[in-house]
Amino acid sequence: MAPIQERIAAFPDGNSLISIQKSRLIVGNSEGLIKIYDLDQLDLEPKSIDIDNNITSLVQSQDLLFISNTNGQFQVIDLKNYLDHSIDIVVKTIYRSELPLRSIQSIPTLNQVVVGGDDRKLVFLDTSSSEFKAIKTLDLNDSIVDLSLGLNNSLIISLSNGEVKFYDVDGFGDDDDFTFKKSDMITTKILTSLDTIDYKNDHQDELVATKIHALKNGNFLIPANDGPSSIKLYSSTYQEITEIKDIESSGSIRSTHINDQESLIAVLYSDDTVKIFNLINYKLEHRFPISLNDNNIAINLQWFKYDLYFGTTNGEIIYFKQVGKEITTTTSTTTTSTEAIISAASGLFIDDATEDTDEEEYEKIAKRDRSKVQEEDSMIIDQDDDINDNDDEGLFGDDLDGDNYGDNKRFKSSKKYTNGGSSTSSSYFTSHTEVEEFQPYSPGSTPWIQDSKSDNSGSVERRYLGINTVGHVWAVRNSGYDQQQQHLTISFYDRSIQKDYHFTDHFKFDLCSFNNRGLLLGYSGINEKKNNDHGGKIYYRHHDSETDSWEKTIPLLKDEIITGVCLSNTSSQSSSIITVGTSLGYLRFFNLYGVCINVLKVQPIYALISSSTSNLFTVNQIANNIYTFSLIDINQDYNFIQQDVLLPIKRKSNEKLLLKGLFFNEYNDPCIISNQDDTLLILQTWRDSNNSKWIPILNCNNVITEYGSNPNKKNWKCWPLGLYNDQLNCLILKNNNPYPGFPLPLPVELKIRLPIQVHSINKENGSLKKKKKKKNPDDILDEDDEEEEEEDDDLMDTDGSEQIKNLFNDNDDPEENFLRSLTMGKIISDSLNDEAIGGDDDENDEIMDRLTKYSILFDKSLLKLFAESCKDSKLNKALSIAKLIKTDKALLAASKIAERMEFINLSTKIGKLREDLLDIDDDEDEDDI
Amino acid sequence: MVLPAQLQNNLTPSEVNFLAENELVTILPRYTMQKMQLIGTKVPALRAMRRESVPLWVALILKSQDKCSIIPPKWLNVAYLKDKYDEEVRKPNQFSALPWNWLEISKMLLARASDDLSDPSHLLRSVLQDLREIRLVKSRKGLKELNESNIVLNGLSLLEINELRPFVLTVMNKLRQLHDTSNAQDIADQDEYEDGGYDDDDDDDI
C-alpha cells in the first residue's frame, strides 16, 4: 500500500535542505532562514534562525550546526547555547572561499570538520575550541561535489570529474594519505550555480547523487547514474560486489540515505519516485511516488527511525511515516546463505584495525563456508585487472561517425571538466552518454505497476501490454519477478464486436498487437538474449475461438530480441499480415496461419504499427537516441513509401520512455507523441517520396494543464489513444502518474490546436492571458467588436475555468484557426485519393463535409485576421491576409470591411484581387470547355 | 386529455420528466450504431469510445443495455452544487442559475447511471436535497410578494415552477378578481363623485 504523504509547511518558497539528528529536524532554506523542529513534538512552533541565502549544505555535529552556501561562507551555529540557554544566536563565519562551497563532513572522533567546494580545496577545521582554527588545507585536482566519512576516519571525496578519492585524515598530510583513487566511479557533475540554485530548471543537472555511503562492515554504496541508474555495492577493497537496482527505471538518482540499522537504503529518483531497497538481500522492498505541486521536486532525504523525510524546492518538508517499519520487521536479521557468503567475502578484506562488532559474525560465516569464500575471493582478484573493461557495450554505440562499436570508456576518460563557469548542461549530457539497450515495445504499453491497494505481503502487479483503438490488453502477476505465469485480459471498447476474455499465460508475453478479429502476442526473449541462438515466441489466436491458434518460435541471434510485433488491421480477414521486428533489424512477415511469407533486413526496429490499409510504419533506432522511420506498403510488394527518414524525436534525458503514443488517424496518417515534448505530430504528404513532413498539431501537456493556469491540474498528464477528426482521444493521468492505472479511466477528447500562440499566466489571479496588443483608442470599432472586446476583458479579469475554456473555442484565435484549417485541409484532401477510402462513398462524404468545414473556417479566420489588421491600421498586413483568401465571397466581405473602415485604397486593391480571381476562374472554365 | 380539472392547467411531474428526457447528454458509446433520423431528433452514428451527444432517453436506453457510459453534465458534481448552495445562502432574494431541468436530469442519472457520476451518489443526493429545500423555502417566502399582475421566477426550473403553479395561479386569479372589483368600485365611486360632487380626500383605495 502506498504510504500516506504528509507535509510540514516549513517555508513557502525556496530550496529546503534537511538534517536530522536524534529527534531534531533542522530545515535550512535557500531564502536565508533555518527552522528547528522537534520531531517528537511537531505541533510545537519551530525556532528560527536567520542565515545567508543559498545554502548548499547543512550538517549537525552534536550541538553544532555547520552550513555552507554559494557565497563561499562556511558558518557555524552553537545550538546548545541557543536552545538550552536561550543565548542570542550568533552565526559565525569560520571560513570563507571565493567560490561556492558545496559539502561539509564532520569527523566527530577527531573533533574536526571538513568543507570543500568549487575552489578545489578541502579545509579541515578544529571544532574542539570555539575559534574553529583551520588545521590543514588539501588541494585537489577538481571541484569537490560531495564528502562522506568511511571507516577509520577515511574521508571519501567525490569530485566533479567523476573521480572518488579516499583520504586518511589521521595520516601525515602527504600524498600517501590517499588510500585509494578511482576515476569514473561516480557520475560527472558540474556545479554551475554561483548564487541562487534553481533545481527545477537551470541547475537540474546538479541534482545527481554523488554521495558515497560507507557501511559499518567496510563496504561502500555508490550511486551509479551512467547507464541505467543503480546503487553499486563495493567491498572495502574497492571491488564491485553487486548492483542494487530495480527493473523499472525511474530516471537518475537524486539522493540516497541509509537508515541507522543499515538495513535499508532509500533512493530518490529524478521522476520523484522513492524506492527502498533492502541491504540484506538487495531487493526492492517498496516503491512510491512523491507528489508535489507546481513542478516542484524533492531534493534530499533522510531517515528518522522508520520515517522518511524529504526536503523540496517549494520550501516544505514531505514525510512518510513508518515506511521502513514493515520492511524491517519482515526481513529482520535473517540472511540467506548466499548473502552471508558475499558479506563474509567482503568481510575478509576488512582492515585488521577495524573493530566492528559484526566482524566476529562474519568471520564465523566465513569459516563455515571457507571453500566458497575462496572461490569468491579468487574470482574478485581475477576480475581486478579487467574491472574497467566491464562497461556495458551495447549493439549500437553513441557516436554518429559509424564507429558504433566504440566503448564508453574512451568518452569518460578523455573528458576532463573544469568548473570555470563555461560548462553548460549540454556538456554534462555529452559526457553522460549511455548505450541504450533495446526493449520490447508495443504501442500503449506500460511497465509493471504495483497495485496500490494490495498489501506488501502479497502484492499484485499489473501492466498494459498494449492499448489501441480497438481495446486494451493487460497482464497481472503476483509480486516477485520470478513468477512463471501471468494472466492476460483483453478488453474491447466496442462490446458489439467481441466480448472481453482472459487466459493464463505461461510464456510471459511482453509484446502484443490486436485488431477486431485476432490477438497476436510475443515474447521478446530478453531474458535469454546473452545466449547464442535463442528464440523468441509469437502466438496468434482469434478472439472468438482458439481452434486456429498457433505459436511459433522466432530464431534470434545473441543479443537480439524481438522489439515489436504487429497485426495489420485490414477489413478482409485473409489479408491480415503479422509482422515481427527485431533489434538487429530482421523484419519477418507471416500470414494469419503462421506461414512466413517474407523476411527483410532493415535498420534495428524500435517499434512497429500497421494501418488499416496495411501500411507498415516502423520506428528504427540507428544510433543512440537517433531514430528514423519507414513506411512500407505490404500489399504493394513491400514497397517503401518512405525509407529511413529521420524522426524528429529524442528520448528525454534520464527517462526510459521514448514514445507515449504511436497510432494512425482514421485516414491512415501516422501520428506520434514523444515523451520529450508531449506534442502530437502527424505525418503530412507521406504519399510523396522524400516529401514527408511532421506537423505538430497539439501540445497535450499545455492543453491538459490549461497552460499552467490551473494549479489543480499542474500534475496532470496525458496518455494518448488515438486521433479522430480534430480530436485527440486520450486518458488524463492525475497526481503526476506517468502511466495509466487500473481500471482504464474514461478517455477524454482534446481538440487539436497548433502550437503557434504564446499564452502567459497572470500570476495574480491565476487566469490565462493570451498575448494581445493594446487597442488603439482612435480606432473605429463597430458595436459588435466593442462587445467582443468587453467580453475579452471580462474573461481576463476572472479566473473561472469556464472563461479559460472559452479561450479554446474555435473563435478564439483566428491565426491558429487559419493555420489549422489549412494544414488539416491538406492532410485530409490527400486521403481522398486513397483507394481504400476513395471507394467508400460514406467516407468520401465525410471527408467532403470536413473539407467544407475547414474551408468555411479558413475564410472566417482570415476575415477576422483581416479585420483585426484593419483595426490596428496595419494595411500591408491586411493586404497580405487578403491575398491568402481564395474565394470571391470572402474577398467581397474583406472589401466591405475595408470600405467601412474607410480604407478606400485597400478596398480598391482587394477589388483587383477579386478581378484576378475571376479571370483565373474564367480561364479554368474555358479550359474545361 | 382526460385529467381531473385541477391537473389540466398544470404539467404533471412525469410530463416534466418526459420533456427533460429530450435534453442532450454526452455519451461514450461502447457500441457501434448507424445514425438514425427520428421525428424531430437525430441520433448520430455511434462508434465505440467516440463521444457523441444524444437525447437523454437514448442515452438511458443504451446505458441500461450497458452499451455506453454517460458523461455527467458539468454541473452535476458535488463541488459545483455546493457552490450553488452557498450562493443560495448568500443571496436570500434570488435563485442561483441552475439548468432548466436540473432536478429531473439529476434524478434520472442518479437512479440509472450512478456508476458514471464523478462523485458518490449519496453526497450528490444530499447536496441536491439541500439545494431543493433552500429553494423551496425561498419560493414560499416569495409568495408574500404575490400580486394580481405579475410574478418573477428567474432561476427557477420547470419542475419548481410547476410546483408553484396551481397555488399561484389560483391566488393570482383571486387577487385579480379583487383588483378588478376594487377597480370597478373605484369607477363607480368616481361616477358618483362626478354626479354628486364628493370631496377628493375621501377617495381612498381599498
Side-chain angles (χ1 to χ4, degrees):
Chain A
M1 202 172 75
I4 298 163
Q5 178 176 316
E6 296 178 73
R7 61 190 279 268
I8 304 170
F11 298 96
D13 203 357
N15 303 326
S16 281
L17 297 174
I18 57 167
S19 168
I20 305 172
Q21 190 181 57
K22 293 179 184 165
S23 66
R24 189 166 63 203
L25 163 69
I26 300 190
V27 186
N29 191 267
S30 60
E31 302 294 310
L33 202 62
I34 277 176
K35 282 190 179 174
I36 305 169
Y37 292 84
D38 186 349
L39 287 176
D40 293 331
Q41 294 172 297
L42 262 179
D43 46 350
L44 290 185
E45 191 66 21
K47 296 190 168 155
S48 305
I49 304 169
D50 283 328
I51 54 162
D52 284 295
N53 285 2
N54 306 323
I55 184 169
T56 53
S57 185
L58 176 76
V59 166
Q60 294 185 68
S61 176
Q62 290 156 357
D63 287 318
L64 297 174
L65 172 68
F66 297 99
I67 47 177
S68 63
N69 57 36
T70 52
N71 301 333
Q73 288 168 315
F74 179 41
Q75 296 171 319
V76 65
I77 297 166
D78 190 345
L79 295 172
K80 194 175 179 67
N81 282 340
Y82 176 59
L83 297 173
D84 296 347
H85 310 300
S86 301
I87 294 173
D88 279 350
I89 198 74
V90 179
V91 181
K92 190 173 173 184
T93 303
I94 50 177
Y95 173 73
R96 193 173 181 119
S97 159
E98 285 175 6
L99 293 171
L101 292 172
R102 302 293 181 183
S103 188
I104 304 167
Q105 179 61 51
S106 142
I107 312 167
T109 52
L110 298 177
N111 287 329
Q112 286 184 20
V113 65
V114 194
V115 67
D118 292 0
D119 62 354
R120 306 178 178 193
K121 272 182 197 163
L122 267 186
V123 180
F124 294 77
L125 295 110
D126 181 11
T127 57
S128 58
S129 72
S130 58
E131 291 170 13
F132 297 99
K133 279 186 181 170
I135 301 167
K136 62 180 167 185
T137 307
L138 189 68
D139 287 322
L140 292 160
N141 55 333
D142 210 330
S143 309
I144 294 119
V145 288
D146 255 314
L147 296 170
S148 48
L149 196 62
L151 286 178
N152 303 323
N153 295 329
S154 163
L155 186 70
I156 309 168
I157 309 158
S158 307
L159 295 180
S160 176
N161 59 5
E163 191 179 0
V164 174
K165 291 187 172 185
F166 289 72
Y167 179 77
D168 183 6
V169 185
D170 283 334
F172 296 100
D174 55 28
D175 276 352
D176 291 340
D177 292 341
F178 286 109
T179 49
F180 181 73
K181 299 175 194 173
K182 188 166 186 275
S183 56
D184 297 334
M185 212 165 182
I186 51 166
T187 315
T188 38
K189 178 160 95 172
I190 318 263
L191 301 174
T192 53
S193 54
L194 293 172
D195 40 63
T196 308
I197 309 176
D198 183 2
Y199 285 128
K200 286 190 279 180
N201 300 306
D202 296 346
H203 306 120
Q204 55 178 294
D205 302 334
E206 298 189 9
L207 268 184
V208 180
T210 46
K211 193 174 180 78
I212 293 165
H213 292 282
L215 301 175
K216 286 172 191 159
N217 60 8
N219 294 345
F220 308 101
L221 288 169
I222 300 181
N225 280 313
D226 291 324
S229 55
S230 63
I231 307 283
K232 288 183 177 167
L233 177 69
Y234 278 71
S235 72
S236 55
T237 50
Y238 316 113
Q239 311 299 325
E240 189 180 335
I241 298 173
T242 187
E243 202 173 11
I244 306 168
K245 64 178 176 182
D246 183 14
I247 289 171
E248 185 188 320
S249 165
S250 300
S252 62
I253 297 170
R254 253 188 224 154
S255 188
T256 55
H257 199 260
I258 298 173
N259 66 347
D260 287 342
Q261 296 80 25
E262 295 194 343
S263 58
L264 301 173
I265 182 168
V267 186
L268 172 64
Y269 288 85
S270 59
D271 66 353
D272 272 352
T273 301
V274 182
K275 292 179 187 172
I276 300 175
F277 294 95
N278 192 326
L279 287 178
I280 296 166
N281 56 18
Y282 312 121
K283 280 190 176 165
L284 174 71
E285 290 287 357
H286 209 355
R287 173 173 49 206
F288 54 90
I290 295 179
S291 136
L292 288 165
N293 292 332
D294 301 341
N295 298 327
N296 280 301
I297 52 175
I299 48 179
N300 70 337
L301 77 166
Q302 196 169 342
W303 286 99
F304 171 62
K305 296 178 184 168
Y306 300 117
D307 309 341
L308 255 183
Y309 287 77
F310 296 85
T312 66
T313 53
N314 63 349
E316 66 183 22
I317 303 303
I318 300 289
Y319 65 97
F320 297 87
K321 285 266 184 197
Q322 303 289 318
V323 277
K325 186 159 189 179
E326 275 183 37
I327 305 164
T328 317
T329 49
T330 51
T331 53
S332 65
T333 52
T334 53
T335 52
T336 62
S337 61
T338 48
E339 289 140 18
I341 291 163
I342 293 168
S343 303
S346 54
L348 281 178
F349 300 102
I350 295 173
D351 196 346
D352 289 341
T354 310
E355 288 183 9
D356 199 294
T357 49
D358 296 330
E359 195 174 330
E360 281 181 21
E361 259 182 67
Y362 289 128
E363 276 298 321
K364 281 179 193 168
I365 300 162
K367 278 177 191 166
R368 198 169 60 219
D369 293 309
R370 181 64 69 188
S371 57
K372 286 183 182 176
V373 173
Q374 280 164 354
E375 275 174 34
E376 288 279 329
D377 192 4
S378 60
M379 194 175 76
I380 290 167
I381 292 164
D382 290 341
Q383 282 173 349
D384 194 16
D385 295 333
D386 314 324
I387 196 147
N388 286 338
D389 300 331
N390 285 344
D391 292 331
D392 280 341
E393 286 181 19
L395 294 166
F396 310 99
D398 40 28
D399 44 355
L400 294 175
D401 55 6
D403 183 13
N404 285 339
Y405 293 86
D407 62 6
N408 276 344
K409 204 169 63 179
R410 180 161 57 85
F411 275 91
K412 287 176 184 167
S413 57
S414 61
K415 294 259 179 186
K416 293 276 179 192
Y417 293 99
T418 59
N419 201 19
S422 59
S423 305
T424 60
S425 57
S426 60
S427 63
Y428 164 73
F429 284 116
T430 48
S431 73
H432 193 75
T433 50
E434 58 183 55
V435 179
E436 282 171 32
E437 289 194 353
F438 277 87
Q439 295 289 332
Y441 174 81
S442 307
S445 61
T446 67
W448 289 102
I449 301 162
Q450 196 160 2
D451 190 346
S452 57
K453 286 173 191 161
S454 60
D455 55 17
N456 277 346
S457 54
S459 59
V460 168
E461 290 178 315
R462 298 167 205 269
R463 68 173 291 198
Y464 288 102
L465 275 183
I467 305 176
N468 66 15
T469 51
V470 177
H472 56 272
V473 175
W474 51 279
V476 60
R477 70 177 183 191
N478 286 326
S479 64
Y481 299 112
D482 53 351
Q483 292 294 312
Q484 289 304 308
Q485 64 180 38
Q486 55 190 26
H487 299 276
L488 297 185
T489 304
I490 173 160
S491 292
F492 299 93
Y493 301 136
D494 192 339
R495 289 172 182 156
S496 62
I497 300 175
Q498 298 291 347
K499 283 195 173 126
D500 296 3
Y501 62 93
H502 67 97
F503 56 93
T504 304
D505 154 30
H506 297 279
F507 297 111
K508 291 190 277 182
F509 290 121
D510 48 10
L511 290 159
C512 158
S513 177
F514 56 103
N515 58 18
N516 281 337
R517 286 174 304 279
L519 169 70
L520 173 70
L521 294 165
Y523 169 62
S524 61
I526 193 161
N527 293 335
E528 298 88 30
K529 72 172 186 174
K530 294 290 173 195
N531 302 347
N532 290 323
D533 296 329
H534 64 113
K537 258 196 174 53
I538 56 168
Y539 166 81
Y540 176 81
R541 62 163 286 175
H542 294 298
H543 293 314
D544 43 12
S545 76
E546 270 195 285
T547 40
D548 276 337
S549 68
W550 51 267
E551 65 178 67
K552 202 171 180 88
T553 304
I554 307 291
L556 296 173
L557 301 172
K558 192 185 175 192
D559 288 331
E560 184 184 18
I561 62 161
I562 300 177
T563 45
V565 296
C566 148
L567 180 63
S568 70
N569 188 17
T570 51
S571 45
S572 60
Q573 184 170 346
S574 57
S575 58
S576 271
I577 302 287
I578 287 166
T579 314
V580 179
T582 74
S583 59
L584 286 187
Y586 288 92
L587 207 51
R588 294 179 176 87
F589 299 88
F590 302 87
N591 71 6
L592 276 190
Y593 301 94
V595 181
C596 190
I597 50 174
N598 197 7
V599 59
L600 299 175
K601 177 91 161 71
V602 293
Q603 295 286 357
I605 300 289
Y606 184 88
L608 287 176
I609 190 168
S610 168
S611 75
S612 64
T613 47
S614 282
N615 285 343
L616 183 72
F617 182 84
T618 66
V619 177
N620 310 84
Q621 182 173 351
I622 55 166
N624 206 13
N625 218 0
I626 294 174
Y627 305 90
T628 60
F629 74 89
S630 300
L631 256 174
I632 303 169
D633 191 342
I634 298 177
N635 286 344
Q636 297 291 323
D637 200 21
Y638 305 92
N639 277 344
F640 276 93
I641 306 169
Q642 302 288 334
Q643 188 169 10
D644 294 332
V645 185
L646 269 180
L647 196 56
I649 58 168
K650 266 188 187 295
R651 189 189 298 276
K652 210 172 179 178
S653 59
N654 298 327
E655 290 217 10
K656 203 172 170 182
L657 185 68
L658 172 75
L659 298 173
K660 266 191 168 182
L662 179 63
F663 42 82
F664 286 90
N665 72 353
E666 69 269 51
Y667 303 125
N668 304 309
D669 301 307
C671 301
I672 205 163
I673 296 189
S674 82
N675 188 33
Q676 188 190 24
D677 56 1
D678 246 355
T679 299
L680 169 64
L681 306 177
I682 186 166
L683 194 63
Q684 196 189 38
T685 56
W686 51 267
R687 292 161 186 87
D688 311 339
S689 54
N690 297 325
N691 195 29
S692 59
K693 306 173 195 96
W694 287 100
I695 314 288
I697 53 173
L698 176 74
N699 186 312
C700 308
N701 187 45
N702 282 349
V703 173
I704 291 254
T705 59
E706 292 175 11
Y707 291 83
S709 65
N710 190 337
N712 297 330
K713 297 183 178 177
K714 280 242 160 118
N715 291 331
W716 287 19
K717 287 179 180 169
C718 163
W719 191 260
L721 300 179
L723 179 70
Y724 306 108
N725 293 331
D726 278 358
Q727 285 172 330
L728 174 74
N729 203 336
C730 64
L731 306 173
I732 294 200
L733 313 176
K734 297 179 182 175
N735 300 327
N736 239 346
N737 285 337
Y739 302 107
F742 292 86
L744 201 73
L746 285 185
V748 296
E749 282 161 3
L750 303 179
K751 218 160 192 188
I752 63 167
R753 187 178 181 80
L754 271 63
I756 57 162
Q757 192 79 40
V758 177
H759 293 269
S760 62
I761 302 158
N762 185 345
K763 284 195 175 167
E764 280 173 20
N765 56 15
S767 67
L768 187 70
K769 251 189 185 178
K770 196 178 70 178
K771 277 200 177 168
K772 191 175 169 114
K773 287 146 212 146
K774 282 184 182 173
K775 64 174 178 181
N776 186 347
D778 299 332
D779 283 345
I780 304 158
L781 295 175
D782 59 34
E783 282 174 10
D784 292 345
D785 291 337
E786 276 173 1
E787 277 169 17
E788 254 176 46
E789 288 285 331
E790 278 167 18
E791 277 170 18
D792 281 356
D793 289 343
D794 290 345
L795 188 148
M796 286 170 194
D797 288 337
T798 55
D799 60 349
S801 55
E802 282 300 316
Q803 281 85 354
I804 289 168
K805 272 166 203 150
N806 288 341
L807 273 179
F808 303 108
N809 285 346
D810 262 355
N811 303 331
D812 166 43
D813 180 7
E815 197 173 336
E816 195 273 339
N817 283 345
F818 151 69
L819 197 61
R820 174 154 49 88
S821 55
L822 185 68
T823 311
M824 294 309 289
K826 274 184 195 168
I827 291 172
I828 302 299
S829 64
D830 279 354
S831 58
L832 262 180
N833 304 325
D834 280 354
E835 269 179 39
I837 294 165
D840 188 336
D841 283 346
D842 282 349
E843 289 274 12
N844 255 338
D845 289 349
E846 214 171 284
I847 292 175
M848 291 313 293
D849 280 352
R850 278 185 70 183
L851 284 175
T852 315
K853 277 182 194 164
Y854 284 135
S855 140
I856 292 166
L857 184 64
F858 180 85
D859 287 343
K860 201 171 138 189
S861 55
L862 280 178
L863 281 173
K864 273 195 170 181
L865 276 176
F866 179 82
E868 271 178 22
S869 303
C870 287
K871 241 186 266 174
D872 295 342
S873 302
K874 292 182 174 171
L875 299 186
N876 284 332
K877 186 180 173 187
L879 185 62
S880 75
I881 291 164
K883 282 178 183 168
L884 293 171
I885 298 175
K886 299 273 188 284
T887 58
D888 184 55
K889 205 174 160 189
L891 273 176
L892 180 65
S895 157
K896 280 185 180 167
I897 292 169
E899 267 176 36
R900 193 169 174 194
M901 297 202 180
E902 297 175 2
F903 297 125
I904 305 301
N905 211 357
L906 181 64
S907 175
T908 320
K909 282 182 180 169
I910 294 170
K912 276 182 191 165
L913 286 177
R914 285 185 65 201
E915 283 167 18
D916 294 346
L917 195 71
L918 281 176
D919 290 344
I920 293 167
D921 286 347
D922 290 344
D923 291 347
E924 278 176 6
D925 289 344
E926 280 168 23
D927 289 347
D928 289 344
I929 295 161
Chain B
M1 205 163 16
V2 185
L3 276 172
Q6 73 269 22
L7 294 180
Q8 284 183 7
N9 293 329
N10 205 15
L11 290 170
T12 61
S14 55
E15 285 168 333
V16 176
N17 218 43
F18 178 79
L19 291 175
E21 284 184 350
N22 276 334
E23 290 284 323
L24 293 181
V25 291
T26 309
I27 59 164
L28 198 63
R30 303 295 303 268
Y31 183 70
T32 304
M33 191 178 86
Q34 291 198 335
K35 65 181 169 192
M36 285 188 295
Q37 182 65 54
L38 305 173
I39 302 167
T41 319
K42 198 161 106 177
V43 180
L46 300 182
R47 289 188 204 173
M49 285 317 216
R50 290 200 208 174
R51 288 177 186 225
E52 288 294 350
S53 289
V54 295
L56 181 58
W57 62 269
V58 177
L60 290 175
I61 291 171
L62 290 172
K63 176 72 192 171
S64 67
Q65 295 172 3
D66 202 18
K67 285 176 180 163
C68 80
S69 302
I70 297 177
I71 310 295
K74 278 174 190 165
W75 52 267
L76 192 54
N77 62 70
V78 171
Y80 183 89
L81 293 173
K82 273 207 167 137
D83 276 357
K84 288 290 160 191
Y85 177 76
D86 292 342
E87 199 182 320
E88 295 279 359
V89 175
R90 225 174 30 247
K91 298 175 179 169
N93 295 323
Q94 68 184 73
F95 295 99
S96 57
L98 280 167
W100 180 238
N101 289 311
W102 68 279
L103 268 169
E104 304 87 299
I105 292 177
S106 54
K107 187 165 183 284
M108 278 186 271
L109 291 182
L110 276 165
R112 295 167 69 180
S114 57
D115 54 329
D116 289 337
L117 300 177
S118 51
D119 291 310
S121 53
H122 68 278
L123 293 179
L124 275 170
R125 278 180 209 277
S126 163
V127 69
L128 283 166
Q129 186 63 25
D130 289 348
L131 258 176
R132 176 154 167 67
E133 281 170 9
I134 194 169
R135 286 161 74 94
L136 209 57
V137 169
K138 271 189 193 180
S139 59
R140 289 197 178 149
K141 272 189 186 169
L143 292 180
K144 279 191 222 158
E145 311 293 326
L146 272 184
N147 59 29
E148 77 290 343
S149 64
N150 56 42
I151 179 169
V152 179
L153 296 170
N154 285 354
L156 275 184
S157 71
L158 179 59
L159 193 72
E160 288 165 316
I161 291 170
N162 267 281
E163 278 176 339
L164 294 173
R165 200 197 300 262
F167 176 74
V168 168
L169 282 184
T170 327
V171 171
M172 282 182 78
N173 221 11
K174 287 285 176 208
L175 282 172
R176 189 179 49 77
Q177 283 169 4
L178 280 173
H179 188 259
D180 288 351
T181 319
S182 70
N183 268 356
Q185 187 65 44
D186 283 350
I187 291 161
D189 291 348
Q190 189 75 26
D191 291 346
E192 271 179 41
Y193 168 73
E194 280 168 9
D195 295 342
Y198 280 105
D199 189 13
D200 276 347
D201 295 338
D202 296 333
D203 188 17
D204 291 337
D205 287 336
I206 297 163

